[in-house]
Amino acid sequence: PNIGEYYFLAGAQDNGTHQFINATSTISTNEVTGGDGGFCFIDQSNPEIQITSYVYNNHYLSTDGGNSFQSITSDNSGRFINPSDYDDESDILYSAKDENYIKRTTGFSGTITEDYINIELGSLASHIRASQYSDNTIFVGTGSGRLFKIQNANGDNPESSELTSNNFPYGYISCIELGESENQILLTFSNYGVPSVWETVDGGGTWLNKEGNLPDMPIRWALYNPNNYDEAILATEVGIWK
């Protein structure tokens, strides 16, 4: 999280998770965990804590800034490359489990604890996004095109509300991106033959199709321009689009 720091982690399917150090010119990496690399996280408050992923709900933890990693979970639930997100403020890793549960993993500075949020998603989670605007709020998209907002996600009684539009396609939600606030949400789908980009500016009350003149292609990820929330870049099946 330091300005000018060129350290990052990247998971690569079939090729493990790689650690990039001083990645400015000549690029060399260390493979810190093996197998199929998935989502990775570096705690933005305490970067000594770093998490890498193997398939399903199998994760590895470093508490010494990436010098060493150890297995912390071996739960073969969820998806092959399993959707997950890490809440830096609450030190909670949220990940997909099944159609009725989101897994919570805590205790990264001490004893690892695992439990679950019970929520009837209708299908397995396809994307999870921890909000940077509200404590213990996460957004969950599913493989059948439904979107949920879960508040008090760290507690015993999380509160869920569904933000799904009647106009959404029956498809795979691939990314949930937040704009200036939780009222501005950009949503993408990774299916052919459907409107792939949707946006709300009123917290999910109304949604607009923002695909415009994009070709019919799966959208994998979206990022708002933090200097201009009228702009976004999209990672797609055929390159990066603006």
Side-chain angles (χ1 to χ4, degrees), residues 176-214:
I176 305 162
E177 163 73 334
L178 301 183
E180 287 188 285
S181 70
E182 288 179 6
N183 286 326
Q184 185 178 23
I185 306 170
L186 194 65
L187 198 68
T188 65
F189 289 80
S190 59
N191 303 79
Y192 287 102
V194 303
S196 301
V197 186
W198 297 80
E199 186 185 42
T200 180
V201 293
D202 60 7
T206 55
W207 291 87
L208 293 176
N209 176 358
K210 293 290 184 174
E211 185 169 271
N213 63 347
L214 283 174

mmCIF file of all heavy atoms in Angstrom, residues 176-214:
data_model
loop_
_atom_site.group_PDB
_atom_site.id
_atom_site.type_symbol
_atom_site.label_atom_id
_atom_site.label_comp_id
_atom_site.label_asym_id
_atom_site.label_seq_id
_atom_site.Cartn_x
_atom_site.Cartn_y
_atom_site.Cartn_z
ATOM 1 N N ILE A 176 -18.284 -6.762 -10.007
ATOM 2 C CA ILE A 176 -19.052 -5.697 -9.356
ATOM 3 C C ILE A 176 -18.058 -4.612 -8.997
ATOM 4 O O ILE A 176 -17.161 -4.823 -8.185
ATOM 5 C CB ILE A 176 -19.757 -6.197 -8.088
ATOM 6 C CG1 ILE A 176 -20.645 -7.406 -8.385
ATOM 7 C CG2 ILE A 176 -20.563 -5.074 -7.440
ATOM 8 C CD1 ILE A 176 -21.013 -8.211 -7.146
ATOM 9 N N GLU A 177 -18.192 -3.437 -9.591
ATOM 10 C CA GLU A 177 -17.266 -2.328 -9.345
ATOM 11 C C GLU A 177 -18.035 -1.155 -8.747
ATOM 12 O O GLU A 177 -19.130 -0.812 -9.218
ATOM 13 C CB GLU A 177 -16.579 -1.932 -10.650
ATOM 14 C CG GLU A 177 -15.913 -0.569 -10.668
ATOM 15 C CD GLU A 177 -14.619 -0.495 -9.865
ATOM 16 O OE1 GLU A 177 -14.446 -1.283 -8.902
ATOM 17 O OE2 GLU A 177 -13.777 0.364 -10.173
ATOM 18 N N LEU A 178 -17.490 -0.552 -7.694
ATOM 19 C CA LEU A 178 -18.119 0.588 -7.041
ATOM 20 C C LEU A 178 -17.487 1.880 -7.522
ATOM 21 O O LEU A 178 -16.272 1.975 -7.701
ATOM 22 C CB LEU A 178 -17.983 0.470 -5.523
ATOM 23 C CG LEU A 178 -18.588 -0.775 -4.875
ATOM 24 C CD1 LEU A 178 -18.427 -0.712 -3.361
ATOM 25 C CD2 LEU A 178 -20.042 -0.956 -5.255
ATOM 26 N N GLY A 179 -18.338 2.906 -7.712
ATOM 27 C CA GLY A 179 -17.878 4.198 -8.188
ATOM 28 C C GLY A 179 -17.626 5.176 -7.057
ATOM 29 O O GLY A 179 -16.897 4.879 -6.104
ATOM 30 N N GLU A 180 -18.265 6.346 -7.146
ATOM 31 C CA GLU A 180 -18.038 7.392 -6.143
ATOM 32 C C GLU A 180 -18.593 7.009 -4.775
ATOM 33 O O GLU A 180 -18.175 7.542 -3.758
ATOM 34 C CB GLU A 180 -18.674 8.704 -6.606
ATOM 35 C CG GLU A 180 -17.924 9.379 -7.730
ATOM 36 C CD GLU A 180 -18.464 10.762 -8.024
ATOM 37 O OE1 GLU A 180 -19.551 10.845 -8.628
ATOM 38 O OE2 GLU A 180 -17.815 11.751 -7.649
ATOM 39 N N SER A 181 -19.558 6.100 -4.749
ATOM 40 C CA SER A 181 -20.172 5.638 -3.504
ATOM 41 C C SER A 181 -20.827 4.291 -3.790
ATOM 42 O O SER A 181 -20.751 3.775 -4.914
ATOM 43 C CB SER A 181 -21.219 6.640 -3.006
ATOM 44 O OG SER A 181 -22.352 6.639 -3.865
ATOM 45 N N GLU A 182 -21.486 3.740 -2.780
ATOM 46 C CA GLU A 182 -22.213 2.488 -2.997
ATOM 47 C C GLU A 182 -23.448 2.685 -3.854
ATOM 48 O O GLU A 182 -24.072 1.707 -4.269
ATOM 49 C CB GLU A 182 -22.598 1.876 -1.650
ATOM 50 C CG GLU A 182 -21.420 1.292 -0.899
ATOM 51 C CD GLU A 182 -21.812 0.719 0.450
ATOM 52 O OE1 GLU A 182 -23.026 0.677 0.741
ATOM 53 O OE2 GLU A 182 -20.913 0.327 1.205
ATOM 54 N N ASN A 183 -23.815 3.932 -4.141
ATOM 55 C CA ASN A 183 -24.944 4.172 -5.028
ATOM 56 C C ASN A 183 -24.567 3.960 -6.490
ATOM 57 O O ASN A 183 -25.438 3.704 -7.323
ATOM 58 C CB ASN A 183 -25.481 5.589 -4.837
ATOM 59 C CG ASN A 183 -26.245 5.743 -3.553
ATOM 60 O OD1 ASN A 183 -26.908 4.814 -3.097
ATOM 61 N ND2 ASN A 183 -26.158 6.919 -2.928
ATOM 62 N N GLN A 184 -23.282 4.108 -6.800
ATOM 63 C CA GLN A 184 -22.832 3.942 -8.182
ATOM 64 C C GLN A 184 -22.158 2.580 -8.311
ATOM 65 O O GLN A 184 -21.103 2.327 -7.735
ATOM 66 C CB GLN A 184 -21.855 5.040 -8.586
ATOM 67 C CG GLN A 184 -21.462 4.968 -10.057
ATOM 68 C CD GLN A 184 -20.520 6.091 -10.465
ATOM 69 O OE1 GLN A 184 -19.834 6.668 -9.628
ATOM 70 N NE2 GLN A 184 -20.490 6.401 -11.750
ATOM 71 N N ILE A 185 -22.783 1.701 -9.073
ATOM 72 C CA ILE A 185 -22.295 0.331 -9.232
ATOM 73 C C ILE A 185 -22.246 -0.002 -10.711
ATOM 74 O O ILE A 185 -23.208 0.238 -11.453
ATOM 75 C CB ILE A 185 -23.213 -0.686 -8.519
ATOM 76 C CG1 ILE A 185 -23.415 -0.303 -7.044
ATOM 77 C CG2 ILE A 185 -22.636 -2.095 -8.622
ATOM 78 C CD1 ILE A 185 -24.496 -1.136 -6.354
ATOM 79 N N LEU A 186 -21.120 -0.551 -11.146
ATOM 80 C CA LEU A 186 -20.964 -1.053 -12.507
ATOM 81 C C LEU A 186 -20.931 -2.570 -12.438
ATOM 82 O O LEU A 186 -20.179 -3.148 -11.646
ATOM 83 C CB LEU A 186 -19.681 -0.515 -13.127
ATOM 84 C CG LEU A 186 -19.511 -0.669 -14.640
ATOM 85 C CD1 LEU A 186 -20.565 0.151 -15.376
ATOM 86 C CD2 LEU A 186 -18.112 -0.233 -15.056
ATOM 87 N N LEU A 187 -21.740 -3.208 -13.258
ATOM 88 C CA LEU A 187 -21.904 -4.663 -13.213
ATOM 89 C C LEU A 187 -21.604 -5.225 -14.594
ATOM 90 O O LEU A 187 -22.058 -4.674 -15.602
ATOM 91 C CB LEU A 187 -23.345 -4.994 -12.819
ATOM 92 C CG LEU A 187 -23.667 -6.397 -12.310
ATOM 93 C CD1 LEU A 187 -23.019 -6.624 -10.953
ATOM 94 C CD2 LEU A 187 -25.178 -6.584 -12.207
ATOM 95 N N THR A 188 -20.832 -6.321 -14.650
ATOM 96 C CA THR A 188 -20.534 -6.933 -15.950
ATOM 97 C C THR A 188 -20.924 -8.409 -15.959
ATOM 98 O O THR A 188 -20.931 -9.076 -14.931
ATOM 99 C CB THR A 188 -19.045 -6.804 -16.323
ATOM 100 O OG1 THR A 188 -18.246 -7.548 -15.391
ATOM 101 C CG2 THR A 188 -18.613 -5.356 -16.330
ATOM 102 N N PHE A 189 -21.234 -8.895 -17.174
ATOM 103 C CA PHE A 189 -21.564 -10.296 -17.412
ATOM 104 C C PHE A 189 -20.562 -10.884 -18.394
ATOM 105 O O PHE A 189 -20.090 -10.189 -19.304
ATOM 106 C CB PHE A 189 -22.978 -10.431 -17.987
ATOM 107 C CG PHE A 189 -24.075 -10.144 -17.011
ATOM 108 C CD1 PHE A 189 -24.432 -8.831 -16.704
ATOM 109 C CD2 PHE A 189 -24.762 -11.176 -16.383
ATOM 110 C CE1 PHE A 189 -25.451 -8.557 -15.801
ATOM 111 C CE2 PHE A 189 -25.785 -10.909 -15.481
ATOM 112 C CZ PHE A 189 -26.126 -9.602 -15.187
ATOM 113 N N SER A 190 -20.267 -12.175 -18.241
ATOM 114 C CA SER A 190 -19.270 -12.810 -19.112
ATOM 115 C C SER A 190 -19.892 -13.867 -20.017
ATOM 116 O O SER A 190 -19.336 -14.936 -20.218
ATOM 117 C CB SER A 190 -18.144 -13.431 -18.278
ATOM 118 O OG SER A 190 -18.658 -14.394 -17.372
ATOM 119 N N ASN A 191 -21.046 -13.536 -20.572
ATOM 120 C CA ASN A 191 -21.728 -14.439 -21.513
ATOM 121 C C ASN A 191 -21.775 -13.813 -22.900
ATOM 122 O O ASN A 191 -21.753 -12.587 -23.045
ATOM 123 C CB ASN A 191 -23.173 -14.707 -21.067
ATOM 124 C CG ASN A 191 -23.258 -15.275 -19.682
ATOM 125 O OD1 ASN A 191 -23.152 -14.537 -18.705
ATOM 126 N ND2 ASN A 191 -23.452 -16.581 -19.582
ATOM 127 N N TYR A 192 -21.867 -14.640 -23.921
ATOM 128 C CA TYR A 192 -22.181 -14.158 -25.268
ATOM 129 C C TYR A 192 -23.692 -13.949 -25.377
ATOM 130 O O TYR A 192 -24.483 -14.597 -24.689
ATOM 131 C CB TYR A 192 -21.734 -15.168 -26.322
ATOM 132 C CG TYR A 192 -20.242 -15.239 -26.522
ATOM 133 C CD1 TYR A 192 -19.511 -16.277 -25.960
ATOM 134 C CD2 TYR A 192 -19.577 -14.279 -27.275
ATOM 135 C CE1 TYR A 192 -18.131 -16.356 -26.150
ATOM 136 C CE2 TYR A 192 -18.205 -14.345 -27.476
ATOM 137 C CZ TYR A 192 -17.491 -15.386 -26.904
ATOM 138 O OH TYR A 192 -16.132 -15.454 -27.085
ATOM 139 N N GLY A 193 -24.082 -13.046 -26.245
ATOM 140 C CA GLY A 193 -25.487 -12.886 -26.598
ATOM 141 C C GLY A 193 -26.339 -12.178 -25.564
ATOM 142 O O GLY A 193 -27.569 -12.283 -25.619
ATOM 143 N N VAL A 194 -25.694 -11.445 -24.613
ATOM 144 C CA VAL A 194 -26.462 -10.719 -23.605
ATOM 145 C C VAL A 194 -25.889 -9.312 -23.463
ATOM 146 O O VAL A 194 -24.712 -9.083 -23.767
ATOM 147 C CB VAL A 194 -26.418 -11.421 -22.221
ATOM 148 C CG1 VAL A 194 -26.922 -12.852 -22.328
ATOM 149 C CG2 VAL A 194 -25.018 -11.383 -21.620
ATOM 150 N N PRO A 195 -26.691 -8.339 -22.985
ATOM 151 C CA PRO A 195 -26.136 -7.032 -22.626
ATOM 152 C C PRO A 195 -25.171 -7.216 -21.447
ATOM 153 O O PRO A 195 -25.569 -7.703 -20.393
ATOM 154 C CB PRO A 195 -27.365 -6.214 -22.236
ATOM 155 C CG PRO A 195 -28.532 -6.946 -22.807
ATOM 156 C CD PRO A 195 -28.154 -8.387 -22.802
ATOM 157 N N SER A 196 -23.918 -6.826 -21.626
ATOM 158 C CA SER A 196 -22.861 -7.230 -20.701
ATOM 159 C C SER A 196 -22.485 -6.192 -19.656
ATOM 160 O O SER A 196 -21.772 -6.519 -18.709
ATOM 161 C CB SER A 196 -21.603 -7.596 -21.500
ATOM 162 O OG SER A 196 -21.861 -8.647 -22.398
ATOM 163 N N VAL A 197 -22.899 -4.932 -19.812
ATOM 164 C CA VAL A 197 -22.467 -3.868 -18.907
ATOM 165 C C VAL A 197 -23.681 -3.085 -18.429
ATOM 166 O O VAL A 197 -24.439 -2.539 -19.242
ATOM 167 C CB VAL A 197 -21.468 -2.912 -19.602
ATOM 168 C CG1 VAL A 197 -20.925 -1.895 -18.596
ATOM 169 C CG2 VAL A 197 -20.318 -3.687 -20.234
ATOM 170 N N TRP A 198 -23.837 -3.006 -17.109
ATOM 171 C CA TRP A 198 -24.977 -2.320 -16.500
ATOM 172 C C TRP A 198 -24.484 -1.384 -15.405
ATOM 173 O O TRP A 198 -23.494 -1.662 -14.737
ATOM 174 C CB TRP A 198 -25.953 -3.343 -15.898
ATOM 175 C CG TRP A 198 -26.566 -4.250 -16.906
ATOM 176 C CD1 TRP A 198 -26.006 -5.364 -17.476
ATOM 177 C CD2 TRP A 198 -27.863 -4.108 -17.494
ATOM 178 N NE1 TRP A 198 -26.877 -5.937 -18.376
ATOM 179 C CE2 TRP A 198 -28.022 -5.190 -18.411
ATOM 180 C CE3 TRP A 198 -28.906 -3.196 -17.343
ATOM 181 C CZ2 TRP A 198 -29.180 -5.355 -19.154
ATOM 182 C CZ3 TRP A 198 -30.068 -3.370 -18.087
ATOM 183 C CH2 TRP A 198 -30.195 -4.435 -18.979
ATOM 184 N N GLU A 199 -25.227 -0.272 -15.232
ATOM 185 C CA GLU A 199 -24.839 0.683 -14.191
ATOM 186 C C GLU A 199 -26.070 1.215 -13.473
ATOM 187 O O GLU A 199 -27.122 1.440 -14.074
ATOM 188 C CB GLU A 199 -24.056 1.861 -14.787
ATOM 189 C CG GLU A 199 -23.512 2.806 -13.710
ATOM 190 C CD GLU A 199 -22.836 4.039 -14.289
ATOM 191 O OE1 GLU A 199 -23.376 4.608 -15.261
ATOM 192 O OE2 GLU A 199 -21.791 4.439 -13.760
ATOM 193 N N THR A 200 -25.911 1.408 -12.164
ATOM 194 C CA THR A 200 -26.899 2.132 -11.361
ATOM 195 C C THR A 200 -26.192 3.292 -10.676
ATOM 196 O O THR A 200 -25.012 3.194 -10.328
ATOM 197 C CB THR A 200 -27.563 1.220 -10.315
ATOM 198 O OG1 THR A 200 -28.524 1.982 -9.564
ATOM 199 C CG2 THR A 200 -26.547 0.644 -9.337
ATOM 200 N N VAL A 201 -26.922 4.385 -10.486
ATOM 201 C CA VAL A 201 -26.390 5.522 -9.714
ATOM 202 C C VAL A 201 -27.288 5.823 -8.522
ATOM 203 O O VAL A 201 -27.103 6.833 -7.843
ATOM 204 C CB VAL A 201 -26.225 6.774 -10.599
ATOM 205 C CG1 VAL A 201 -25.125 6.549 -11.633
ATOM 206 C CG2 VAL A 201 -27.541 7.171 -11.264
ATOM 207 N N ASP A 202 -28.253 4.927 -8.271
ATOM 208 C CA ASP A 202 -29.140 5.113 -7.118
ATOM 209 C C ASP A 202 -29.178 3.862 -6.245
ATOM 210 O O ASP A 202 -30.208 3.525 -5.658
ATOM 211 C CB ASP A 202 -30.540 5.518 -7.564
ATOM 212 C CG ASP A 202 -31.223 4.485 -8.478
ATOM 213 O OD1 ASP A 202 -30.640 3.386 -8.660
ATOM 214 O OD2 ASP A 202 -32.313 4.771 -8.999
ATOM 215 N N GLY A 203 -28.058 3.183 -6.173
ATOM 216 C CA GLY A 203 -27.946 2.059 -5.258
ATOM 217 C C GLY A 203 -28.685 0.808 -5.667
ATOM 218 O O GLY A 203 -28.923 -0.065 -4.844
ATOM 219 N N GLY A 204 -29.049 0.701 -6.937
ATOM 220 C CA GLY A 204 -29.736 -0.484 -7.429
ATOM 221 C C GLY A 204 -31.214 -0.305 -7.649
ATOM 222 O O GLY A 204 -31.900 -1.254 -8.044
ATOM 223 N N GLY A 205 -31.725 0.908 -7.423
ATOM 224 C CA GLY A 205 -33.145 1.158 -7.676
ATOM 225 C C GLY A 205 -33.472 1.077 -9.154
ATOM 226 O O GLY A 205 -34.489 0.502 -9.552
ATOM 227 N N THR A 206 -32.616 1.673 -9.973
ATOM 228 C CA THR A 206 -32.776 1.621 -11.417
ATOM 229 C C THR A 206 -31.424 1.278 -12.041
ATOM 230 O O THR A 206 -30.371 1.702 -11.555
ATOM 231 C CB THR A 206 -33.268 2.958 -11.994
ATOM 232 O OG1 THR A 206 -32.381 4.019 -11.588
ATOM 233 C CG2 THR A 206 -34.674 3.275 -11.509
ATOM 234 N N TRP A 207 -31.474 0.505 -13.133
ATOM 235 C CA TRP A 207 -30.269 0.077 -13.838
ATOM 236 C C TRP A 207 -30.379 0.459 -15.301
ATOM 237 O O TRP A 207 -31.451 0.381 -15.897
ATOM 238 C CB TRP A 207 -30.082 -1.434 -13.731
ATOM 239 C CG TRP A 207 -29.736 -1.918 -12.352
ATOM 240 C CD1 TRP A 207 -30.595 -2.255 -11.347
ATOM 241 C CD2 TRP A 207 -28.416 -2.113 -11.832
ATOM 242 N NE1 TRP A 207 -29.899 -2.653 -10.227
ATOM 243 C CE2 TRP A 207 -28.557 -2.583 -10.488
ATOM 244 C CE3 TRP A 207 -27.123 -1.957 -12.352
ATOM 245 C CZ2 TRP A 207 -27.459 -2.879 -9.684
ATOM 246 C CZ3 TRP A 207 -26.032 -2.250 -11.561
ATOM 247 C CH2 TRP A 207 -26.202 -2.705 -10.239
ATOM 248 N N LEU A 208 -29.254 0.875 -15.900
ATOM 249 C CA LEU A 208 -29.206 1.201 -17.316
ATOM 250 C C LEU A 208 -28.199 0.308 -18.017
ATOM 251 O O LEU A 208 -27.115 0.030 -17.485
ATOM 252 C CB LEU A 208 -28.811 2.671 -17.516
ATOM 253 C CG LEU A 208 -29.821 3.718 -17.046
ATOM 254 C CD1 LEU A 208 -29.240 5.114 -17.235
ATOM 255 C CD2 LEU A 208 -31.141 3.579 -17.783
ATOM 256 N N ASN A 209 -28.576 -0.141 -19.207
ATOM 257 C CA ASN A 209 -27.693 -0.929 -20.054
ATOM 258 C C ASN A 209 -26.635 0.008 -20.633
ATOM 259 O O ASN A 209 -26.947 0.948 -21.352
ATOM 260 C CB ASN A 209 -28.510 -1.583 -21.162
ATOM 261 C CG ASN A 209 -27.658 -2.345 -22.161
ATOM 262 O OD1 ASN A 209 -26.440 -2.384 -22.075
ATOM 263 N ND2 ASN A 209 -28.319 -2.955 -23.128
ATOM 264 N N LYS A 210 -25.359 -0.230 -20.332
ATOM 265 C CA LYS A 210 -24.267 0.639 -20.762
ATOM 266 C C LYS A 210 -23.355 -0.031 -21.786
ATOM 267 O O LYS A 210 -22.232 0.424 -22.007
ATOM 268 C CB LYS A 210 -23.432 1.066 -19.542
ATOM 269 C CG LYS A 210 -24.171 1.969 -18.567
ATOM 270 C CD LYS A 210 -24.405 3.340 -19.156
ATOM 271 C CE LYS A 210 -25.049 4.284 -18.150
ATOM 272 N NZ LYS A 210 -25.137 5.662 -18.679
ATOM 273 N N GLU A 211 -23.815 -1.105 -22.418
ATOM 274 C CA GLU A 211 -22.952 -1.812 -23.354
ATOM 275 C C GLU A 211 -22.580 -0.969 -24.567
ATOM 276 O O GLU A 211 -21.482 -1.096 -25.108
ATOM 277 C CB GLU A 211 -23.619 -3.114 -23.803
ATOM 278 C CG GLU A 211 -22.714 -3.950 -24.677
ATOM 279 C CD GLU A 211 -23.269 -5.341 -24.900
ATOM 280 O OE1 GLU A 211 -22.975 -6.233 -24.091
ATOM 281 O OE2 GLU A 211 -23.990 -5.518 -25.897
ATOM 282 N N GLY A 212 -23.498 -0.095 -25.005
ATOM 283 C CA GLY A 212 -23.206 0.788 -26.129
ATOM 284 C C GLY A 212 -22.818 0.028 -27.368
ATOM 285 O O GLY A 212 -23.493 -0.915 -27.790
ATOM 286 N N ASN A 213 -21.678 0.412 -27.980
ATOM 287 C CA ASN A 213 -21.258 -0.204 -29.242
ATOM 288 C C ASN A 213 -20.200 -1.279 -29.046
ATOM 289 O O ASN A 213 -19.483 -1.629 -29.985
ATOM 290 C CB ASN A 213 -20.725 0.875 -30.201
ATOM 291 C CG ASN A 213 -19.473 1.561 -29.652
ATOM 292 O OD1 ASN A 213 -19.142 1.419 -28.478
ATOM 293 N ND2 ASN A 213 -18.807 2.333 -30.491
ATOM 294 N N LEU A 214 -20.091 -1.838 -27.839
ATOM 295 C CA LEU A 214 -19.166 -2.952 -27.623
ATOM 296 C C LEU A 214 -19.575 -4.158 -28.461
ATOM 297 O O LEU A 214 -20.765 -4.433 -28.616
ATOM 298 C CB LEU A 214 -19.161 -3.367 -26.149
ATOM 299 C CG LEU A 214 -18.386 -2.506 -25.151
ATOM 300 C CD1 LEU A 214 -18.644 -3.019 -23.735
ATOM 301 C CD2 LEU A 214 -16.894 -2.535 -25.454
#
